Amino acid sequence: MQDGNVEIIQNKAKQQDGAAAMEMQPLKSAEGGDGEEKDKKRSNPHKKEKSVLQGKLTKLAVQIGKAGLVMSAITVIILVLYFAIDTFVVNKKQWLPECTPIYIQYFVKFFIIGVTVLVVAVPEGLPLAVTISLAYSVKKMMKDNNLVRHLDACETMGNATAICSDKTGTLTTNRMTVVQAFLGDVHYKEVPDPDALPAKTLDILVHSIGINSAYTSKVLPPEKDGGLPRQVGNKTECGLLGFVLDLKREYQTVRLQIPEEKLYKVYTFNSVRKSMSTVVKLEDGSYRMYSKGASEIVLKKCSKILNGAGEPRIFKPRDRDEMVKKVIEPMACDGLRTICIAYRDFNMSPEPDWDNENEILSDLTCIAVVGIEDPVRPEVPEAIRKCQRAGITVRMVTGDNINTARAIAIKCGILHPGEDFLCIEGKEFNRRIRNEKGEIEQERIDKIWPKLRVLARSSPTDKHTLVKGIIDSTYVEQRQVVAVTGDGTNDGPALKKADVGFAMGIAGTDVAKEASDIILTDDNFSSIVKAVMWGRNVYDSISKFLQFQLTVNVVAVIVAFTGACITQDSPLKAVQMLWVNLIMDTFASLALATEPPTESLLLRKPYGRNKPLISRTMMKNILGHAVYQLTLIFTLLFVGEEIFNIDSGRNAPLHSPPSEHYTIIFNTFVMMQLFNEINARKIHGERNVFDGIFKNPIFGVIVLGTFAIQIVIVQFGGKPFSCSPLQLDQWMWCIFLGFGELVWGQVITSIPTSRLKFLKGAGHLTQKEETPEEDFNEDAEEIDHAERELRRGQILWFRGLNRIQTQIRVVKAFRSSLYEGLEKPDSRTSIHNFMTHPEFKIEDSQPHIPLIDDTDLEEDPALKQNSSQPPSPNKNNNAIDSGINLTTDTSKSATSSSPGSPIHSLETSL
């Protein structure tokens, strides 16, 4: 039960049922009434809040659009005023009717220039860039075993600051494996070389494991090349069978020699024996029994042990104690499960009494003691190191005991010896986060979660509590972005609450998959690290596109505006600007949004939810390249005809043919954009802008394709594109000036951003914008369809209870004198007593949540009494407790009503 949900529901009930007049009105629904809008919002289950990136982009796009609209309007106004003043005031011409079509053409030309400025300024390529980047990432993430169900989960993972991961199957392989063994008086810390073992010991070990296991337990070859062998049946037995295969022996050969129907006697494993034994009849008529089980149980029944030569030797209690101290305890400290394998030979006659287990299961000869573990996936420690280097805290949340969890956490690298981090059990966690009333307090959680690394013996509720506590915490300035893994049905609430929920594709249930954002098709933690990398790459791809687009925006708008003010015309014509807009939006978004991720993305801290989309470094790049481009364009505009010894294109008549002057300006501008597109590949001040350029063939194709189309437009575009064919030397100058962008980019990189104090980031959200208004009213994203219906049902239930309560009080007002002096009824909290005795009240206070530690309840009788509320009918974790606290209203005297009384009639209706 979530702390906030009960209060929210009760507040809703108060708001809708507070007045008697309101209570008499029909229920408001989506069909009509004042609640129509509210119900519509509630009935839309797919409405999700904007992601952080979407919010930042929307705000930035609106700001750029407004600036572009203002600039285009000013451009049109200046052009019209300049023309009107120059024509009718300076030259004192009259508006003649026969000149009206010419004037209108001028005004249309001015209007087209203004619209062109607006089209170039408005970043309509942003949604395309976001969609391409996300779609491309989702497709590529499938190859990295990440099945993305919600697109915004990609970029959210790029901001992740915490990962709460399961242990079994995610950090480990979920495959029992023998990693240590005590054979022939030698303790092997890893699987021994079969050539180093006595042949007799090896043979009897293979027979013992192969025969004394369920024949349904098998180790099968992997389904695909490079995969792990498949374990079928009991995992512990599969681990032992795998040990046989590691010793280069075949257990199946033994099973073919002695099929299951030839087994003479089988003592199956149970909790009393804690061992399993199988008796076979040998060829000479004698019997041999193979046993395996918990080492501390089986070793007590051993009187002999095989030595280094494979021969039995006496095994005394003193030897057993020494083995426990030197072999079994060290294995247990490594988080291993110890299994003892033994055998015993029986004579042919007299035949033993097989029913006398105490006699049969004694005087055994120990073959080996093995240590079995669920090994850590080999790639996990490196993946966790990458996470920690990237500023992401990894926490293990598992149901295993604390010793095993601690050992696995150390092997994974989650815990390091000597560090001041917490490793606690769920029971202790609950004791620390709840107050004396059993209520969860955020302040208490804030004292635990920053140092918590391992939560052992935890329930799904504990996982949800931890995730909610981290997300809601204000302990750190930056809001934590939490990713969670889960595979069980009860993990649904935690997966829904988390910013990104990862479900296991192999071991996960359908409920967990439905509640998740991303499904790990290989159940592997390292796939989560790849998701982080792709998420950061999405963020960077959008930033690269913005850096490129805003540079073109600034230059194109200023050139058009300045040209209109000075020369009464734009050096970049309308069709040319639309071609530039196509390069800037569609092609650039395709080229820059498909950049593959690199390992360098994991070398920096998370951006954070309130970090600006355009950093100060990017702003330096945008303004720096804009200065270079504007300087060259204005130089060409005013002295270009002298440099190239051509006719000037300034102040040309209305329908004059295209000039070489303006064509060179247009061509140089496009060349600068092509080379600046290479600069835009780096947004963090890197010098090598060509790094990894060949890993993205789409980028190369688009740049070369754009260059080829530009040649066609300039040489063959003619009047439609306002272009005049250029000579080879003019082309080389245009390319040279464009190439200068790369050189200028190195100059800009050399300028420290820290010295440019005036630069500000752009595209960040305020705290109010970051949190949608709906989140303050209700956690709408935390519940599914069924829960919405449940919440609506609770409101109906509260309303019905309030109406009945009002009617009961009216009746009791007339009957109160009949019961004066009578004994007050006992406390009735069951539903049956509640139906019989309707005097009750709905408490506005929070219901008391019992402490998990039962000893606390025994020590505090008052708390125990408060905690004994009837349990919620909702058994699922993701259901919302109704929060109704029914108690007897002892302030009013009442007794059971007679069958004929109005109260009885009312009770019957209830």
Side-chain angles (χ1 to χ4, degrees), residues 761-821:
H764 61 275
L765 296 177
T766 62
Q767 188 67 28
K768 185 177 181 181
E769 291 168 326
E770 185 180 335
T771 308
E773 188 177 346
E774 296 84 24
D775 285 4
F776 293 111
N777 299 327
E778 58 178 339
D779 199 356
E781 293 308 316
E782 198 174 344
I783 57 179
D784 56 19
H785 302 268
E787 291 166 3
R788 281 184 163 82
E789 291 302 318
L790 175 63
R791 181 168 285 180
R792 179 173 171 77
Q794 290 167 342
I795 295 171
L796 284 169
W797 176 241
F798 282 140
R799 183 169 297 174
L801 291 180
N802 268 347
R803 290 175 181 172
I804 293 168
Q805 188 178 27
T806 303
Q807 295 170 13
I808 290 172
R809 286 173 179 165
V810 171
V811 175
K812 288 165 87 173
F814 291 100
R815 303 181 58 205
S816 58
S817 58
L818 298 176
Y819 301 107
E820 290 180 0

Side-chain angles (χ1 to χ4, degrees), residues 548-564:
F548 174 72
Q549 188 187 44
L550 292 181
T551 305
V552 186
N553 267 5
V554 170
V555 175
V557 171
I558 292 178
V559 166
F561 177 76
T562 309

Side-chain angles (χ1 to χ4, degrees), residues 499-616:
D499 295 289
V500 180
F502 287 89
M504 302 297 115
I506 300 172
T509 62
D510 290 341
V511 174
K513 293 176 184 177
E514 188 65 26
S516 68
D517 299 296
I518 299 175
I519 297 175
L520 299 178
T521 55
D522 63 346
D523 292 9
N524 195 337
F525 182 85
S526 62
S527 298
I528 300 177
V529 181
K530 293 175 182 174
V532 172
M533 202 159 61
W534 276 106
R536 295 189 175 188
N537 188 63
V538 167
Y539 209 97
D540 278 12
S541 296
I542 305 303
S543 297
K544 291 172 186 176
F545 171 73
L546 279 172
Q547 177 174 291
F548 174 72
Q549 188 187 44
L550 292 181
T551 305
V552 186
N553 267 5
V554 170
V555 175
V557 171
I558 292 178
V559 166
F561 177 76
T562 309
C565 294
I566 299 175
T567 66
Q568 203 177 351
D569 190 11
S570 172
L572 299 174
K573 307 303 179 185
V575 179
Q576 295 174 352
M577 293 279 267
L578 293 177
W579 165 238
V580 170
N581 196 52
L582 186 65
I583 298 173
M584 179 179 70
D585 283 344
T586 310
F587 292 165
S589 62
L590 194 59
L592 295 172
T594 53
E595 287 277 322
T598 61
E599 291 288 337
S600 61
L601 290 169
L602 298 176
L603 298 179
R604 58 173 173 79
K605 302 300 180 184
Y607 272 141
R609 295 172 66 94
N610 54 0
K611 185 179 178 65
L613 195 60
I614 302 174
S615 64
R616 295 176 69 238

Side-chain angles (χ1 to χ4, degrees), residues 295-432:
S295 56
E296 65 274 13
I297 302 296
V298 178
L299 275 180
K300 289 179 180 178
K301 299 175 180 178
C302 292
S303 59
K304 299 176 184 176
I305 187 171
L306 296 182
N307 60 17
E311 298 296 331
R313 66 170 176 84
I314 299 298
F315 188 62
K316 299 179 180 178
R318 185 182 61 209
D319 298 329
R320 183 176 66 246
D321 294 341
E322 186 177 356
M323 179 181 280
V324 169
K325 186 176 181 181
K326 293 187 177 180
V327 178
I328 295 177
E329 286 185 357
M331 285 185 180
C333 289
D334 290 336
L336 306 183
R337 179 187 300 173
T338 54
I339 303 291
C340 179
I341 302 169
Y343 78 100
R344 178 182 177 183
D345 289 327
F346 296 92
N347 294 326
M348 180 174 55
S349 60
E351 184 173 349
D353 180 10
W354 301 113
D355 294 331
N356 186 1
E357 284 191 35
N358 291 333
E359 175 61 29
I360 297 298
L361 297 177
S362 61
D363 197 23
L364 303 179
T365 301
C366 176
I367 305 171
V369 174
V370 296
I372 300 180
E373 74 163 351
D374 184 4
V376 173
R377 291 179 183 267
E379 63 273 19
V380 162
E382 177 62 24
I384 289 178
R385 272 195 297 274
K386 288 179 180 177
C387 282
Q388 293 168 342
R389 195 166 59 236
I392 301 172
T393 302
V394 181
R395 295 178 175 86
M396 179 197 293
V397 183
T398 178
D400 278 346
N401 70 70
I402 195 164
N403 291 326
T404 303
R406 186 185 289 111
I408 296 295
I410 291 173
K411 289 182 180 179
C412 291
I414 295 175
L415 289 176
H416 298 282
E419 289 183 336
D420 183 23
F421 288 134
L422 280 177
C423 178
I424 60 176
E425 291 186 337
K427 188 175 180 180
E428 173 69 11
F429 174 70
N430 275 278
R431 190 186 66 79
R432 291 193 184 192

Side-chain angles (χ1 to χ4, degrees), residues 38-344:
K38 219 170 194 178
D39 285 338
K40 278 184 180 177
K41 182 192 286 186
R42 200 178 289 124
S43 65
N44 183 7
H46 298 293
K47 183 180 179 184
K48 291 199 60 146
E49 66 173 88
K50 282 184 179 178
S51 69
V52 178
L53 180 60
Q54 288 171 335
K56 292 178 180 179
L57 286 174
T58 302
K59 183 177 180 181
L60 188 64
V62 169
Q63 291 172 343
I64 296 173
K66 288 178 180 178
L69 183 62
V70 171
M71 290 297 291
S72 65
I74 293 175
T75 303
V76 173
I77 292 170
I78 288 176
L79 284 170
V80 171
L81 289 176
Y82 189 98
F83 174 78
I85 293 172
D86 184 61
T87 305
F88 303 115
V89 177
V90 177
N91 296 326
K92 299 181 180 180
K93 292 181 180 179
Q94 299 296 321
W95 185 298
L96 301 175
E98 56 270 20
C99 296
T100 300
I102 298 176
Y103 295 153
I104 290 176
Q105 288 183 34
Y106 271 109
F107 291 141
V108 169
K109 176 186 174 184
F110 300 153
F111 180 75
I112 289 174
I113 293 174
V115 171
T116 306
V117 171
L118 179 61
V119 169
V120 173
V122 173
E124 66 271 15
L126 265 180
L128 180 64
V130 174
T131 304
I132 289 175
S133 183
L134 289 175
Y136 176 77
S137 299
V138 166
K139 182 181 176 182
K140 293 294 184 181
M141 286 172 74
M142 271 297 296
K143 295 181 181 179
D144 287 337
N145 303 305
N146 285 275
L147 175 59
V148 180
R149 297 182 66 248
H150 300 135
L151 275 179
D152 58 350
C154 291
E155 52 101 352
T156 306
M157 268 313 292
N159 293 321
T161 57
I163 299 175
C164 297
S165 174
D166 289 335
K167 179 185 77 69
T168 305
T170 307
L171 300 175
T172 63
T173 59
N174 196 20
R175 302 165 56 83
M176 294 296 181
T177 309
V178 175
V179 293
Q180 293 187 29
F182 182 84
L183 275 165
D185 291 337
V186 179
H187 184 185
Y188 295 94
K189 294 289 186 178
E190 55 188 23
V191 176
D193 183 357
D195 297 333
L197 300 176
K200 185 177 180 182
T201 302
L202 189 58
D203 182 67
I204 199 169
L205 177 67
V206 171
H207 277 74
S208 178
I209 293 175
I211 295 170
N212 190 32
S213 298
Y215 278 36
T216 54
S217 297
K218 301 175 184 177
V219 178
L220 302 178
E223 291 181 341
K224 55 184 179 180
D225 294 339
L228 295 171
R230 290 176 293 154
Q231 294 185 345
V232 179
N234 183 281
K235 294 295 183 182
T236 302
E237 291 182 344
C238 287
L240 293 172
L241 295 174
F243 181 51
V244 171
L245 297 176
D246 291 340
L247 292 173
K248 308 293 190 294
R249 295 293 186 272
E250 286 291 336
Y251 66 87
Q252 198 62 38
T253 307
V254 177
R255 289 182 173 181
L256 291 174
Q257 293 174 356
I258 307 176
E260 196 169 6
E261 56 271 14
K262 286 191 177 182
L263 299 181
Y264 192 81
K265 176 76 175 176
V266 176
Y267 298 93
T268 58
F269 181 89
N270 61 34
S271 57
V272 178
R273 292 193 189 103
K274 290 195 175 180
S275 64
M276 174 184 177
S277 302
T278 302
V279 181
V280 295
K281 195 169 185 178
L282 304 180
E283 294 179 356
D284 59 0
S286 61
Y287 303 95
R288 175 170 285 177
M289 180 182 70
Y290 298 106
S291 292
K292 72 171 185 290
S295 56
E296 65 274 13
I297 302 296
V298 178
L299 275 180
K300 289 179 180 178
K301 299 175 180 178
C302 292
S303 59
K304 299 176 184 176
I305 187 171
L306 296 182
N307 60 17
E311 298 296 331
R313 66 170 176 84
I314 299 298
F315 188 62
K316 299 179 180 178
R318 185 182 61 209
D319 298 329
R320 183 176 66 246
D321 294 341
E322 186 177 356
M323 179 181 280
V324 169
K325 186 176 181 181
K326 293 187 177 180
V327 178
I328 295 177
E329 286 185 357
M331 285 185 180
C333 289
D334 290 336
L336 306 183
R337 179 187 300 173
T338 54
I339 303 291
C340 179
I341 302 169
Y343 78 100
R344 178 182 177 183

Side-chain angles (χ1 to χ4, degrees), residues 611-632:
K611 185 179 178 65
L613 195 60
I614 302 174
S615 64
R616 295 176 69 238
T617 302
M618 290 171 59
M619 193 67 75
K620 177 186 74 174
N621 294 339
I622 292 168
L623 296 179
H625 288 292
V627 167
Y628 174 82
Q629 294 183 20
L630 288 170
T631 303
L632 283 183

